[in-house]
């Protein structure tokens, strides 16, 4: 997924605010699931962020073109570890590197569950 940095993404220091990156990553996760036809398999299952580990490498500024890469790094019956990077398209260098742990939660009860078999099988086919 590509993103063009706009002036409203910029903080008073002149670069993309750290909290904006969370929004970029979330949009890319939904795009990742949508492009792979996985959204329809989330019936009654919420994917909840359980942990985020972000390493900020270099700033992005107004007008930069960014590319978000998302890859499944690890998958168990109870969690999914997604690695996401955001790179500056002009240099190919990463602005951030993140590991996001997602857990399946039953939409009705709000309790953590195992991935339904059909979703787990589909996710397994996309492991990097």
């Amino acid at each position: 997924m590509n993103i063009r940095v706009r002036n409203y993404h910029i903080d008073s220091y002149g670069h993309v605010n750290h909290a904006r990156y969370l929004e970029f990553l979330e949009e890319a996760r939904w795009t990742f699931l949508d492009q792979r036809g996985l959204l329809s398999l989330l019936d009654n299952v919420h994917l909840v962020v359980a942990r985020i580990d972000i390493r900020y490498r270099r700033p992005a500024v107004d007008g930069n073109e960014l590319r978000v890469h998302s890859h499944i790094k690890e998958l168990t019956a109870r969690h999914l570890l997604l690695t996401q990077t955001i790179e500056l398209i002009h240099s190919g260098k990463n602005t951030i590197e993140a590991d996001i742990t997602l857990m399946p939660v039953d939409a009705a009860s709000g309790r953590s569950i195992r991935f339904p078999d059909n979703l787990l099988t589909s996710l397994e086919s996309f492991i990097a």
Side-chain angles (χ1 to χ4, degrees):
M1 185 185 95
N2 291 348
I3 299 168
R4 180 176 175 81
V5 176
R6 306 287 183 190
N7 65 351
Y8 63 89
H9 297 138
I10 304 301
D11 63 17
S12 61
Y13 296 111
H15 55 73
V16 174
N17 183 275
H18 68 281
R20 267 310 168 172
Y21 283 112
L22 295 173
E23 294 173 3
F24 295 166
L25 294 172
E26 183 173 23
E27 179 65 27
R29 283 194 303 277
W30 284 102
T31 299
F32 177 88
L33 294 169
D34 188 29
Q35 289 176 340
R36 287 156 182 81
L38 299 172
L39 290 181
S40 63
L41 301 178
L42 292 177
D43 188 39
N44 299 317
V45 176
H46 293 168
L47 283 181
V48 175
V49 173
R51 179 182 174 146
I52 298 177
D53 178 22
I54 299 178
R55 290 152 311 280
Y56 298 92
R57 299 296 186 201
R58 61 192 40 81
V61 298
D62 190 16
N64 281 158
E65 295 284 338
L66 307 176
R67 181 167 294 132
V68 185
H69 300 276
S70 303
H71 304 282
I72 297 174
K73 184 175 183 179
E74 180 181 305
L75 178 65
T76 72
R78 293 199 164 270
H79 81 271
L80 164 68
L81 179 59
L82 194 66
T83 295
Q84 293 184 278
T85 58
I86 300 179
E87 74 171 314
L88 295 162
I89 291 176
H90 73 274
S91 70
K93 294 184 177 181
N94 288 343
T95 61
I96 70 154
E97 299 162 355
D99 287 325
I100 317 292
T101 303
L102 301 163
M103 295 177 55
V105 171
D106 180 78
S109 71
R111 294 185 184 266
S112 132
I113 58 172
R114 297 174 60 89
F115 279 107
D117 290 338
N118 62 337
L119 180 55
L120 186 62
T121 300
S122 294
L123 287 167
E124 286 171 341
S125 69
F126 297 108
I127 293 179

